[in-house]
Amino acid sequence: MLTLKKIAGGAVIASTALLAALSAQAAIPIQHWTLANGAKVYLAATDALPIVDVQIDVDAGSRRDPAAQAGLASASAGMVEKGVRASDAGPALDENALGEAWADLGASFGAGAGAERTSFSLRSLSDPALLDRAVALAAREIGEPSFPADVWQREREQINAALKEANTKPGTVSARTFSQAVYGTHPYGQETTEATLAKIDVETMRTRYAQLILPCRAKVSIVGAVTRAQADAIATRLLARLPAQDGRCEPLPAVPPIAVLTAPKEERIPFASAQAHVVIGQPGYLRTDPDHFALTIGNYILGGGGFVSRLMNEVREKRGLVYGISSGFAPGLHAGAFRVGFQTRPDQADAAVQVSRQVLARFVAEGPTEAELKAAKDNLIGGFPLLLDSNRKLLGNVSNIAWNDLPLDYLDTWTARMNAVTVADIKAAFARKLQPDRMVTVVVGAKP
């Protein structure tokens, strides 16, 4: 039987081999099919390591939370790991028993929720005996969570304590203020508070879980040393303890698009902190937008490339106004925000905001230079194999393709599509997506 110690010892060699292979050829092919229960499966089979990684994504993120119960998705996902009820598969197991069971298997299982999806993850050795037991236990956690009330009471108290502590930090206040200003009443802008947590109980969790966590809503991504037949069996078993619904689900209510900003907004919040926290931005773009590649390279030049970016050069290196500054997009099923973020001395905040806005406006108006574009392509394309040099990274890419309905050859065509981007493409894409005169600016910690 293989052991984790042996795998760890061979991981570096195998990872290096995978990296070399990816440098020399196209990415690992992704196979896709739909199960009888309606779940969609995406498989990237690789035997670089004797490990199988699985991620199951369901449209049950916080965007499905009622506003008065913001935090329900995250709370429900967290409680999945707190126990399973008794069934024909075995006796009830509490969180301690589950922890011991996973330790015995040398495997791991997790559940969590973001804005769009609730996700379950499984990592196991591909040894058939261990993998079979790991899949069986994961299926119980996914299909038979017990949602113990006493544990939720404890968890809620811990979350409340964490919220109180977070509220004392300027970074939390700036992020929350920015989110509310950009997203308004859209579910992306909902914040978990003590008041919303107080309205969440285990019955609410059970009801939500039964409505949303169904095989026909699931996208199952699998990476590792398995065949298609084995992957089909794994995906089927993992979802077997959920209601099958004859493979069909009623459509969920549409989530409205994020409204564009019609005027600039500025929020200045005095805060007793040594550094001012600043965020500038607006709604961005959908992940399926055809401008994605131009925006990715353009943002690298603008503020995503660390010390080689324009913002870093103009705001930090030339003027010494910040310690670090960056920009980024967060595309998804909705237009996740574009933001520029930095910290600075409170007395330098106004100057740093002014220069940042100037750099951003000039970039949107003029685009990058040919030299900047070449340097960005060299760096990003040269680093592409590093995005796929482990099972976990490959799984993240596969699940991203699955969730956003991207083409199955997305990884194969990535380099060519990046190479095809021109200066004109970036200039046009930024002009279409960003309006520097209509952005939100949040300053927390500066002097009033």
Side-chain angles (χ1 to χ4, degrees):
M1 180 183 297
L2 291 167
T3 67
L4 285 176
K5 185 175 181 180
K6 289 179 179 178
I7 289 173
V12 173
I13 297 174
S15 180
T16 302
L18 179 59
L19 178 61
L22 288 167
S23 300
Q25 63 183 32
I28 296 170
I30 299 173
Q31 302 176 62
H32 168 53
W33 65 96
T34 302
L35 300 178
N37 60 22
K40 295 177 172 58
V41 183
Y42 298 77
L43 168 65
T46 169
D47 57 1
L49 289 173
I51 289 177
V52 177
D53 282 291
V54 183
Q55 180 168 321
I56 301 173
D57 297 310
V58 185
D59 186 353
S62 61
R63 68 179 186 151
R64 300 290 177 190
D65 288 350
Q69 293 172 312
L72 176 57
S74 180
S76 301
M79 286 295 291
V80 168
E81 299 179 62
K82 305 305 179 186
V84 298
R85 61 180 182 269
S87 71
D88 60 349
L93 299 172
D94 63 17
E95 56 186 320
N96 293 326
L98 285 172
E100 292 173 1
W102 286 114
D104 289 343
L105 289 169
S108 62
F109 175 85
E116 295 181 349
R117 38 183 157 165
T118 287
S119 302
F120 306 94
S121 63
L122 169 66
R123 161 166 275 210
S124 170
L125 296 168
S126 57
D127 176 84
L130 289 175
L131 180 59
D132 182 72
R133 291 167 58 196
V135 170
L137 184 57
R140 291 199 65 193
E141 290 211 47
I142 294 169
E144 299 169 346
S146 57
F147 294 115
D150 58 333
V151 174
W152 168 237
Q153 180 65 27
R154 182 199 70 197
E155 292 293 305
R156 180 161 53 192
E157 291 175 358
Q158 292 178 349
I159 297 172
N160 280 332
L163 287 174
K164 288 179 180 177
E165 181 183 1
N167 290 337
T168 67
K169 299 179 179 178
T172 302
V173 176
S174 61
R176 179 193 303 141
T177 305
F178 177 79
S179 178
Q180 292 172 346
V182 169
Y183 297 126
T185 58
H186 189 275
Y188 271 24
Q190 293 177 176
E191 291 286 338
T192 303
T193 67
E194 292 180 75
T196 64
L197 286 175
K199 295 180 180 178
I200 298 173
D201 57 27
V202 294
E203 287 307 316
T204 309
M205 294 182 193
R206 291 190 178 108
T207 300
R208 183 186 193 277
Y209 204 85
Q211 292 173 339
L212 297 180
I213 309 299
L214 299 170
C216 44
R217 303 196 195 286
K219 293 188 173 181
V220 186
S221 301
I222 302 175
V223 170
V226 291
T227 64
R228 172 166 174 155
Q230 290 170 322
D232 192 289
I234 289 169
T236 300
R237 286 189 66 195
L238 286 172
L239 301 170
R241 295 190 169 275
L242 293 170
Q245 304 281 328
D246 296 327
R248 296 187 296 275
C249 287
E250 292 296 323
L252 293 171
V255 177
I258 295 170
V260 299
L261 300 178
T262 57
K265 300 179 183 178
E266 187 162 316
E267 299 271 0
R268 289 180 177 267
I269 302 174
F271 203 94
S273 59
Q275 300 297 318
H277 289 241
V278 180
V279 190
I280 303 170
Q282 64 166 87
Y285 66 95
L286 306 181
R287 181 59 184 83
T288 53
D289 194 295
D291 282 336
H292 174 71
F293 288 92
L295 294 167
T296 298
I297 298 178
N299 180 66
Y300 181 89
I301 298 167
L302 172 64
F307 283 96
V308 300
S309 73
R310 277 202 190 185
L311 283 168
M312 189 72 88
N313 185 52
E314 295 292 333
V315 187
R316 173 191 156 120
E317 298 300 318
K318 288 187 178 179
R319 298 171 177 82
L321 294 173
V322 300
Y323 307 99
I325 183 170
S326 63
S327 66
F329 291 94
L333 299 183
H334 300 280
F338 165 81
R339 67 189 74 198
V340 174
F342 60 85
Q343 299 176 35
T344 185
R345 280 191 352 231
D347 63 309
Q348 294 182 326
D350 287 345
V353 167
Q354 182 181 17
V355 175
S356 299
R357 285 173 173 168
Q358 290 171 347
V359 172
L360 176 59
R362 181 181 176 189
F363 189 82
V364 172
E366 301 177 358
T369 66
E370 290 288 351
E372 287 175 323
L373 177 60
K374 182 181 184 306
K377 284 184 179 180
D378 288 347
N379 188 289
L380 291 170
I381 294 173
F384 177 68
L386 297 177
L387 302 177
L388 306 169
D389 65 351
S390 72
N391 272 26
R392 287 193 191 279
K393 291 181 183 178
L394 185 55
L395 180 69
N397 278 282
V398 174
S399 64
N400 182 50
I401 289 168
W403 185 252
N404 292 291
D405 290 325
L406 300 177
L408 294 183
D409 65 352
Y410 176 81
L411 297 176
D412 292 309
T413 61
W414 189 90
T415 298
R417 297 187 71 177
M418 292 286 274
N419 259 325
V421 172
T422 66
V423 166
D425 292 334
I426 295 174
K427 180 181 176 182
F430 271 74
R432 281 191 285 268
K433 298 300 185 301
L434 296 186
Q435 296 78 43
D437 60 335
R438 285 185 273 147
M439 289 193 172
V440 168
T441 301
V442 175
V443 182
V444 175
K447 294 178 180 178

